[in-house]
mmCIF file of all heavy atoms in Angstrom:
data_model
loop_
_atom_site.group_PDB
_atom_site.id
_atom_site.type_symbol
_atom_site.label_atom_id
_atom_site.label_comp_id
_atom_site.label_asym_id
_atom_site.label_seq_id
_atom_site.Cartn_x
_atom_site.Cartn_y
_atom_site.Cartn_z
ATOM 1 N N ASP A 1 401.823 208.257 150.544
ATOM 2 C CA ASP A 1 402.152 206.989 149.958
ATOM 3 C C ASP A 1 402.615 206.123 151.096
ATOM 4 O O ASP A 1 403.770 206.158 151.603
ATOM 5 C CB ASP A 1 403.351 207.185 148.951
ATOM 6 C CG ASP A 1 403.613 205.966 148.144
ATOM 7 O OD1 ASP A 1 403.584 204.850 148.735
ATOM 8 O OD2 ASP A 1 403.929 206.100 146.880
ATOM 9 N N ALA A 2 401.729 205.173 151.491
ATOM 10 C CA ALA A 2 401.978 204.386 152.703
ATOM 11 C C ALA A 2 403.266 203.502 152.565
ATOM 12 O O ALA A 2 404.046 203.369 153.542
ATOM 13 C CB ALA A 2 400.748 203.539 153.009
ATOM 14 N N LYS A 3 403.426 202.877 151.407
ATOM 15 C CA LYS A 3 404.567 202.020 151.243
ATOM 16 C C LYS A 3 405.843 202.726 151.226
ATOM 17 O O LYS A 3 406.855 202.352 151.846
ATOM 18 C CB LYS A 3 404.398 201.132 149.930
ATOM 19 C CG LYS A 3 403.345 200.124 149.988
ATOM 20 C CD LYS A 3 403.278 199.237 148.769
ATOM 21 C CE LYS A 3 402.281 198.088 148.901
ATOM 22 N NZ LYS A 3 402.271 197.277 147.673
ATOM 23 N N ARG A 4 405.871 203.865 150.473
ATOM 24 C CA ARG A 4 407.157 204.640 150.359
ATOM 25 C C ARG A 4 407.530 205.249 151.779
ATOM 26 O O ARG A 4 408.692 205.196 152.122
ATOM 27 C CB ARG A 4 406.973 205.739 149.325
ATOM 28 C CG ARG A 4 406.900 205.259 147.857
ATOM 29 C CD ARG A 4 408.235 204.779 147.336
ATOM 30 N NE ARG A 4 409.327 205.747 147.556
ATOM 31 C CZ ARG A 4 409.658 206.705 146.691
ATOM 32 N NH1 ARG A 4 408.869 206.906 145.593
ATOM 33 N NH2 ARG A 4 410.593 207.584 146.887
ATOM 34 N N ARG A 5 406.592 205.781 152.465
ATOM 35 C CA ARG A 5 406.902 206.439 153.705
ATOM 36 C C ARG A 5 407.315 205.330 154.788
ATOM 37 O O ARG A 5 408.163 205.653 155.616
ATOM 38 C CB ARG A 5 405.710 207.286 154.262
ATOM 39 C CG ARG A 5 404.548 206.459 154.746
ATOM 40 C CD ARG A 5 403.339 207.315 155.040
ATOM 41 N NE ARG A 5 403.623 208.318 156.091
ATOM 42 C CZ ARG A 5 403.428 208.155 157.410
ATOM 43 N NH1 ARG A 5 403.104 206.964 157.807
ATOM 44 N NH2 ARG A 5 403.655 209.116 158.239
ATOM 45 N N THR A 6 406.695 204.185 154.672
ATOM 46 C CA THR A 6 407.057 203.070 155.643
ATOM 47 C C THR A 6 408.549 202.759 155.431
ATOM 48 O O THR A 6 409.259 202.521 156.394
ATOM 49 C CB THR A 6 406.201 201.888 155.398
ATOM 50 O OG1 THR A 6 404.893 202.183 155.725
ATOM 51 C CG2 THR A 6 406.740 200.657 156.259
ATOM 52 N N TYR A 7 409.020 202.762 154.220
ATOM 53 C CA TYR A 7 410.426 202.494 153.947
ATOM 54 C C TYR A 7 411.357 203.636 154.267
ATOM 55 O O TYR A 7 412.363 203.531 155.014
ATOM 56 C CB TYR A 7 410.583 202.044 152.478
ATOM 57 C CG TYR A 7 412.098 201.794 152.113
ATOM 58 C CD1 TYR A 7 412.707 200.571 152.634
ATOM 59 C CD2 TYR A 7 412.814 202.649 151.394
ATOM 60 C CE1 TYR A 7 413.979 200.329 152.285
ATOM 61 C CE2 TYR A 7 414.155 202.378 151.069
ATOM 62 C CZ TYR A 7 414.783 201.210 151.567
ATOM 63 O OH TYR A 7 416.024 200.996 151.276
ATOM 64 N N ASP A 8 410.955 204.828 153.819
ATOM 65 C CA ASP A 8 411.833 205.995 153.984
ATOM 66 C C ASP A 8 411.955 206.462 155.413
ATOM 67 O O ASP A 8 413.005 206.965 155.827
ATOM 68 C CB ASP A 8 411.315 207.148 153.132
ATOM 69 C CG ASP A 8 411.680 207.009 151.655
ATOM 70 O OD1 ASP A 8 412.589 206.225 151.318
ATOM 71 O OD2 ASP A 8 411.066 207.745 150.832
ATOM 72 N N TYR A 9 410.892 206.319 156.209
ATOM 73 C CA TYR A 9 410.904 206.907 157.571
ATOM 74 C C TYR A 9 411.304 205.986 158.692
ATOM 75 O O TYR A 9 411.358 206.389 159.850
ATOM 76 C CB TYR A 9 409.483 207.458 157.863
ATOM 77 C CG TYR A 9 408.958 208.531 156.942
ATOM 78 C CD1 TYR A 9 407.637 209.024 156.996
ATOM 79 C CD2 TYR A 9 409.826 209.057 155.958
ATOM 80 C CE1 TYR A 9 407.163 209.963 156.145
ATOM 81 C CE2 TYR A 9 409.295 210.079 155.129
ATOM 82 C CZ TYR A 9 408.035 210.492 155.194
ATOM 83 O OH TYR A 9 407.468 211.465 154.401
ATOM 84 N N THR A 10 411.581 204.703 158.335
ATOM 85 C CA THR A 10 411.900 203.740 159.435
ATOM 86 C C THR A 10 413.404 203.386 159.432
ATOM 87 O O THR A 10 414.007 203.103 158.464
ATOM 88 C CB THR A 10 411.051 202.477 159.339
ATOM 89 O OG1 THR A 10 411.307 201.835 157.999
ATOM 90 C CG2 THR A 10 409.581 202.772 159.465
ATOM 91 N N PRO A 11 413.983 203.371 160.712
ATOM 92 C CA PRO A 11 415.381 202.968 160.864
ATOM 93 C C PRO A 11 415.472 201.462 160.604
ATOM 94 O O PRO A 11 414.429 200.719 160.643
ATOM 95 C CB PRO A 11 415.678 203.214 162.302
ATOM 96 C CG PRO A 11 414.596 204.153 162.786
ATOM 97 C CD PRO A 11 413.379 203.827 161.980
ATOM 98 N N PRO A 12 416.677 200.951 160.353
ATOM 99 C CA PRO A 12 416.862 199.526 160.132
ATOM 100 C C PRO A 12 416.501 198.757 161.372
ATOM 101 O O PRO A 12 416.972 199.041 162.542
ATOM 102 C CB PRO A 12 418.379 199.408 159.838
ATOM 103 C CG PRO A 12 418.837 200.706 159.481
ATOM 104 C CD PRO A 12 417.932 201.656 160.177
ATOM 105 N N VAL A 13 415.680 197.708 161.350
ATOM 106 C CA VAL A 13 415.286 196.821 162.365
ATOM 107 C C VAL A 13 415.338 195.442 161.915
ATOM 108 O O VAL A 13 414.835 195.083 160.769
ATOM 109 C CB VAL A 13 413.931 197.131 162.907
ATOM 110 C CG1 VAL A 13 413.461 196.169 163.948
ATOM 111 C CG2 VAL A 13 413.826 198.569 163.466
ATOM 112 N N ALA A 14 415.985 194.525 162.612
ATOM 113 C CA ALA A 14 416.066 193.094 162.226
ATOM 114 C C ALA A 14 414.641 192.514 162.066
ATOM 115 O O ALA A 14 413.676 192.894 162.802
ATOM 116 C CB ALA A 14 416.775 192.316 163.278
ATOM 117 N N THR A 15 414.473 191.681 161.101
ATOM 118 C CA THR A 15 413.152 191.091 160.785
ATOM 119 C C THR A 15 412.503 190.499 162.003
ATOM 120 O O THR A 15 411.282 190.661 162.229
ATOM 121 C CB THR A 15 413.287 190.030 159.676
ATOM 122 O OG1 THR A 15 413.853 190.634 158.515
ATOM 123 C CG2 THR A 15 411.941 189.422 159.309
ATOM 124 N N ASP A 16 413.291 189.819 162.819
ATOM 125 C CA ASP A 16 412.660 189.177 163.911
ATOM 126 C C ASP A 16 412.412 190.103 165.157
ATOM 127 O O ASP A 16 411.898 189.751 166.195
ATOM 128 C CB ASP A 16 413.564 188.039 164.518
ATOM 129 C CG ASP A 16 414.905 188.426 164.938
ATOM 130 O OD1 ASP A 16 415.320 189.657 164.681
ATOM 131 O OD2 ASP A 16 415.723 187.643 165.492
ATOM 132 N N ARG A 17 412.739 191.357 164.909
ATOM 133 C CA ARG A 17 412.418 192.431 165.908
ATOM 134 C C ARG A 17 411.417 193.453 165.514
ATOM 135 O O ARG A 17 411.113 194.388 166.251
ATOM 136 C CB ARG A 17 413.773 193.161 166.211
ATOM 137 C CG ARG A 17 414.886 192.370 166.812
ATOM 138 C CD ARG A 17 414.624 192.023 168.270
ATOM 139 N NE ARG A 17 414.734 193.207 169.135
ATOM 140 C CZ ARG A 17 414.375 193.194 170.380
ATOM 141 N NH1 ARG A 17 413.891 192.150 170.971
ATOM 142 N NH2 ARG A 17 414.453 194.351 171.128
ATOM 143 N N LEU A 18 410.816 193.229 164.318
ATOM 144 C CA LEU A 18 409.804 194.097 163.852
ATOM 145 C C LEU A 18 408.548 194.087 164.784
ATOM 146 O O LEU A 18 408.105 193.020 165.213
ATOM 147 C CB LEU A 18 409.444 193.750 162.429
ATOM 148 C CG LEU A 18 410.356 194.154 161.280
ATOM 149 C CD1 LEU A 18 409.868 193.528 159.959
ATOM 150 C CD2 LEU A 18 410.524 195.626 161.184
ATOM 151 N N ALA A 19 408.017 195.247 164.975
ATOM 152 C CA ALA A 19 406.825 195.389 165.864
ATOM 153 C C ALA A 19 405.607 194.759 165.162
ATOM 154 O O ALA A 19 405.532 194.648 163.872
ATOM 155 C CB ALA A 19 406.544 196.823 166.206
ATOM 156 N N GLN A 20 404.630 194.379 165.877
ATOM 157 C CA GLN A 20 403.381 193.831 165.336
ATOM 158 C C GLN A 20 402.523 194.851 164.747
ATOM 159 O O GLN A 20 402.386 195.999 165.278
ATOM 160 C CB GLN A 20 402.592 193.111 166.474
ATOM 161 C CG GLN A 20 401.284 192.400 165.961
ATOM 162 C CD GLN A 20 400.529 191.826 167.135
ATOM 163 O OE1 GLN A 20 401.043 191.784 168.291
ATOM 164 N NE2 GLN A 20 399.359 191.416 166.835
ATOM 165 N N ARG A 21 401.927 194.571 163.599
ATOM 166 C CA ARG A 21 400.980 195.495 162.951
ATOM 167 C C ARG A 21 399.533 195.013 163.327
ATOM 168 O O ARG A 21 399.318 193.873 163.708
ATOM 169 C CB ARG A 21 401.100 195.436 161.457
ATOM 170 C CG ARG A 21 402.354 195.930 160.938
ATOM 171 C CD ARG A 21 402.334 195.985 159.401
ATOM 172 N NE ARG A 21 401.533 197.085 158.894
ATOM 173 C CZ ARG A 21 401.243 197.277 157.570
ATOM 174 N NH1 ARG A 21 401.708 196.422 156.710
ATOM 175 N NH2 ARG A 21 400.483 198.288 157.228
ATOM 176 N N PRO A 22 398.559 195.918 163.272
ATOM 177 C CA PRO A 22 397.142 195.508 163.522
ATOM 178 C C PRO A 22 396.727 194.316 162.655
ATOM 179 O O PRO A 22 397.073 194.278 161.459
ATOM 180 C CB PRO A 22 396.404 196.718 163.204
ATOM 181 C CG PRO A 22 397.308 197.882 163.337
ATOM 182 C CD PRO A 22 398.668 197.339 162.886
ATOM 183 N N GLY A 23 396.122 193.342 163.253
ATOM 184 C CA GLY A 23 395.696 192.144 162.516
ATOM 185 C C GLY A 23 396.853 191.287 162.080
ATOM 186 O O GLY A 23 396.678 190.393 161.220
ATOM 187 N N ASN A 24 398.041 191.503 162.666
ATOM 188 C CA ASN A 24 399.232 190.728 162.276
ATOM 189 C C ASN A 24 399.574 190.776 160.835
ATOM 190 O O ASN A 24 400.106 189.795 160.257
ATOM 191 C CB ASN A 24 399.055 189.268 162.800
ATOM 192 C CG ASN A 24 399.163 189.146 164.288
ATOM 193 O OD1 ASN A 24 399.941 189.762 164.910
ATOM 194 N ND2 ASN A 24 398.232 188.316 164.774
ATOM 195 N N ARG A 25 399.233 191.856 160.142
ATOM 196 C CA ARG A 25 399.548 191.987 158.713
ATOM 197 C C ARG A 25 401.077 192.088 158.539
ATOM 198 O O ARG A 25 401.761 192.595 159.387
ATOM 199 C CB ARG A 25 398.888 193.260 158.141
ATOM 200 C CG ARG A 25 397.386 193.162 158.033
ATOM 201 C CD ARG A 25 396.777 194.492 157.531
ATOM 202 N NE ARG A 25 396.910 195.528 158.534
ATOM 203 C CZ ARG A 25 397.246 196.765 158.228
ATOM 204 N NH1 ARG A 25 397.432 197.166 156.971
ATOM 205 N NH2 ARG A 25 397.286 197.657 159.199
ATOM 206 N N ALA A 26 401.553 191.612 157.405
ATOM 207 C CA ALA A 26 402.956 191.647 157.141
ATOM 208 C C ALA A 26 403.382 193.105 156.804
ATOM 209 O O ALA A 26 402.596 193.896 156.273
ATOM 210 C CB ALA A 26 403.237 190.774 155.863
ATOM 211 N N TRP A 27 404.581 193.379 157.157
ATOM 212 C CA TRP A 27 405.154 194.700 156.880
ATOM 213 C C TRP A 27 405.526 194.843 155.405
ATOM 214 O O TRP A 27 406.071 193.885 154.791
ATOM 215 C CB TRP A 27 406.383 194.961 157.767
ATOM 216 C CG TRP A 27 406.043 195.350 159.146
ATOM 217 C CD1 TRP A 27 406.149 194.518 160.241
ATOM 218 C CD2 TRP A 27 405.635 196.619 159.605
ATOM 219 N NE1 TRP A 27 405.743 195.238 161.367
ATOM 220 C CE2 TRP A 27 405.434 196.512 161.051
ATOM 221 C CE3 TRP A 27 405.317 197.866 159.023
ATOM 222 C CZ2 TRP A 27 404.968 197.616 161.736
ATOM 223 C CZ3 TRP A 27 404.870 198.872 159.758
ATOM 224 C CH2 TRP A 27 404.664 198.775 161.135
ATOM 225 N N ASP A 28 405.409 196.028 154.847
ATOM 226 C CA ASP A 28 406.076 196.390 153.563
ATOM 227 C C ASP A 28 407.559 196.543 153.889
ATOM 228 O O ASP A 28 407.940 196.428 155.076
ATOM 229 C CB ASP A 28 405.427 197.659 152.970
ATOM 230 C CG ASP A 28 404.022 197.475 152.594
ATOM 231 O OD1 ASP A 28 403.697 196.393 151.964
ATOM 232 O OD2 ASP A 28 403.253 198.403 152.920
ATOM 233 N N ALA A 29 408.360 196.922 152.915
ATOM 234 C CA ALA A 29 409.759 197.100 153.122
ATOM 235 C C ALA A 29 410.008 198.228 154.111
ATOM 236 O O ALA A 29 409.337 199.238 154.056
ATOM 237 C CB ALA A 29 410.476 197.372 151.764
ATOM 238 N N THR A 30 410.920 198.025 155.085
ATOM 239 C CA THR A 30 411.237 199.010 156.046
ATOM 240 C C THR A 30 412.740 199.248 156.036
ATOM 241 O O THR A 30 413.536 198.542 155.374
ATOM 242 C CB THR A 30 410.800 198.569 157.457
ATOM 243 O OG1 THR A 30 411.543 197.307 157.792
ATOM 244 C CG2 THR A 30 409.322 198.244 157.515
ATOM 245 N N GLY A 31 413.195 200.203 156.852
ATOM 246 C CA GLY A 31 414.669 200.332 157.061
ATOM 247 C C GLY A 31 415.395 201.319 156.166
ATOM 248 O O GLY A 31 416.637 201.279 156.120
ATOM 249 N N GLY A 32 414.656 202.198 155.425
ATOM 250 C CA GLY A 32 415.364 203.027 154.472
ATOM 251 C C GLY A 32 415.746 204.435 154.976
ATOM 252 O O GLY A 32 416.060 205.353 154.221
ATOM 253 N N ALA A 33 415.647 204.647 156.321
ATOM 254 C CA ALA A 33 415.829 205.956 156.889
ATOM 255 C C ALA A 33 417.126 206.635 156.484
ATOM 256 O O ALA A 33 417.222 207.810 156.188
ATOM 257 C CB ALA A 33 415.629 205.909 158.442
ATOM 258 N N ASP A 34 418.284 205.887 156.586
ATOM 259 C CA ASP A 34 419.581 206.482 156.303
ATOM 260 C C ASP A 34 419.665 206.964 154.900
ATOM 261 O O ASP A 34 420.239 208.063 154.665
ATOM 262 C CB ASP A 34 420.692 205.479 156.668
ATOM 263 C CG ASP A 34 420.724 205.175 158.139
ATOM 264 O OD1 ASP A 34 420.859 206.112 158.970
ATOM 265 O OD2 ASP A 34 420.623 203.970 158.532
ATOM 266 N N ALA A 35 419.227 206.147 153.937
ATOM 267 C CA ALA A 35 419.277 206.598 152.545
ATOM 268 C C ALA A 35 418.382 207.808 152.321
ATOM 269 O O ALA A 35 418.787 208.729 151.568
ATOM 270 C CB ALA A 35 418.847 205.447 151.661
ATOM 271 N N PHE A 36 417.273 207.868 152.949
ATOM 272 C CA PHE A 36 416.369 209.024 152.775
ATOM 273 C C PHE A 36 416.947 210.277 153.459
ATOM 274 O O PHE A 36 416.897 211.366 152.819
ATOM 275 C CB PHE A 36 414.986 208.714 153.423
ATOM 276 C CG PHE A 36 413.998 209.853 153.364
ATOM 277 C CD1 PHE A 36 413.528 210.258 152.143
ATOM 278 C CD2 PHE A 36 413.589 210.459 154.517
ATOM 279 C CE1 PHE A 36 412.591 211.269 152.073
ATOM 280 C CE2 PHE A 36 412.645 211.520 154.451
ATOM 281 C CZ PHE A 36 412.162 211.946 153.260
ATOM 282 N N LEU A 37 417.617 210.177 154.528
ATOM 283 C CA LEU A 37 418.267 211.330 155.166
ATOM 284 C C LEU A 37 419.389 211.751 154.392
ATOM 285 O O LEU A 37 419.723 212.976 154.289
ATOM 286 C CB LEU A 37 418.625 210.946 156.631
ATOM 287 C CG LEU A 37 417.393 210.847 157.582
ATOM 288 C CD1 LEU A 37 417.919 210.252 158.974
ATOM 289 C CD2 LEU A 37 416.748 212.146 157.765
ATOM 290 N N ASP A 38 420.121 210.819 153.733
ATOM 291 C CA ASP A 38 421.191 211.168 152.797
ATOM 292 C C ASP A 38 420.633 212.103 151.623
ATOM 293 O O ASP A 38 421.268 213.020 151.256
ATOM 294 C CB ASP A 38 421.883 209.950 152.233
ATOM 295 C CG ASP A 38 422.771 209.274 153.201
ATOM 296 O OD1 ASP A 38 423.175 209.891 154.188
ATOM 297 O OD2 ASP A 38 423.151 208.097 152.920
#
């Protein structure tokens, strides 16, 4: 599940610090690593 894993597996990163995706596509929600590890 690409959207769920993108959120669950990524640490919090400020929006202006997000890495570039191929084709400059927008990111789905990110930064849920702490809740997932909980």
